[in-house]
Amino acid sequence: MTNVVQPAGSIMVIGAHAGDAENMAAATVLKHTRAGHSATIVHMTLGEAGHPTLPPDAYARQRKEEVQESARQMGAKTIWLPYRDGELPVNDEVKFQVCDLIRQEKPTILLTHWNGSLHKDHVATHEIVRDAIFYAALPAIHREWPAHRVRGIYFPENWEDMEGWRADVYLDVTDVWQGYLNVLRSHELMRGGISSFRYFDYYDALGTLRGCLGGFHKAVALMMQPGAWVRKLQYLPGLEPADQ
Ligand SMILES: [Zn+2]
């Protein structure tokens, strides 16, 4: 009889606009869904503003199709919230909405924006998610679902969120890199023609750059929550007594 251990972890990514979760975390998600873990992608807004020719309603419909195709490729569930691009509010109503999603989906690991961002919706998402994680973990806060504590919080690399961002973890994503590029290609924004920013080239090159620095062929870098790297030791590594 073989003893098969099923991985029971799950990962949640919360992005401000459709496409953010994908460009900053699709490689990380693919790596873990292919290892048998589950994933949920949450888009705080559809990022429906700013298309040069399509009105927001039409672009929102396109973005829904894009995020669903991305989620299908990642083997992930996708959820979008009904907030407007550029107008994401920061209040307890939104924070409890995200708290409920965390309690419902029970992620082991959560990835979201770092707050050193040039986009106000990204900063808002960081703040909303930080408080939602706190609310979700607190048993004294009674909601429809029981309390859930997220075990690890990371901030992936996003070209708009680089103020004070730091690479703490290098993750080998070599074997999912083509899958990651395909996820990017499912968004018109990444393929080019909407924004002057070269999304596809930037994120493809970033995988090479992080791979060089991390000692892998392709890698992504993640920032840890400030303070999460603190270690509590009896002796410094390498100087432990022989019997330990
Ligand atoms: Zn964004």
Side-chain angles (χ1 to χ4, degrees):
M1 206 173 120
T2 51
N3 225 349
V4 180
V5 179
Q6 293 293 336
S10 67
I11 186 164
M12 178 180 270
V13 185
I14 305 182
H17 310 104
D20 278 317
E22 287 88 343
N23 64 34
M24 65 185 181
T28 305
V29 170
L30 275 167
K31 174 88 184 203
H32 294 96
T33 52
R34 289 194 187 167
H37 301 289
S38 61
T40 306
I41 314 294
V42 181
H43 307 283
M44 297 301 295
T45 81
L46 282 166
E48 74 282 2
H51 193 286
T53 53
L54 285 179
D57 283 357
Y59 190 35
R61 283 195 294 277
Q62 177 181 322
R63 304 231 74 182
K64 284 179 194 171
E65 287 170 14
E66 290 170 342
V67 299
Q68 287 177 98
E69 172 56 19
S70 287
R72 189 193 65 74
Q73 291 184 25
M74 288 186 275
K77 179 176 175 178
T78 185
I79 296 166
W80 54 84
L81 299 183
Y83 298 102
R84 287 158 64 117
D85 186 1
E87 299 173 39
L88 178 61
V90 180
N91 57 40
D92 265 351
E93 189 189 332
V94 193
K95 290 173 184 177
F96 279 115
Q97 204 171 4
V98 177
C99 156
D100 289 349
L101 284 176
I102 293 169
R103 287 187 173 196
Q104 226 175 319
E105 301 296 326
K106 303 181 186 62
T108 319
I109 299 292
L110 197 150
L111 274 59
T112 194
H113 295 274
W114 172 237
N115 66 353
S117 181
L118 51 88
H119 200 302
K120 68 185 278 287
D121 288 343
H122 293 204
V123 179
T125 299
H126 177 95
E127 193 176 327
I128 290 162
V129 173
R130 186 195 58 203
D131 288 351
I133 289 168
F134 175 75
Y135 291 156
L138 218 56
I141 293 181
H142 295 283
R143 308 286 295 171
E144 194 176 336
W145 292 275
H148 173 76
R149 190 176 65 83
V150 175
R151 286 192 24 207
I153 302 153
Y154 297 91
F155 309 110
E157 193 162 9
N158 182 313
W159 77 277
E160 291 172 292
D161 306 343
M162 297 307 285
E163 189 64 45
W165 183 90
R166 187 189 49 233
D168 291 321
V169 174
Y170 286 88
L171 183 73
D172 180 6
V173 289
T174 305
D175 55 348
V176 296
W177 197 252
Q178 285 311 314
Y180 169 66
L181 297 181
N182 286 337
V183 171
L184 294 190
R185 287 188 190 101
S186 63
H187 291 255
E188 188 186 0
L189 179 66
M190 313 293 169
R191 295 193 301 268
I194 292 182
S195 163
S196 60
F197 185 77
R198 290 162 57 197
Y199 281 90
F200 190 89
D201 290 345
Y202 178 84
Y203 285 102
D204 191 20
L206 199 58
T208 305
L209 178 132
R210 292 298 170 197
C212 292
L213 293 170
F216 303 113
H217 182 59
K218 299 285 183 185
V220 291
L222 304 161
M223 179 178 175
M224 293 169 77
Q225 215 179 6
W229 57 82
V230 170
R231 298 176 67 183
K232 295 167 183 176
L233 304 169
Q234 292 290 336
Y235 296 92
L236 292 176
L239 300 179
E240 298 93 341
D243 61 346
Q244 289 204 357

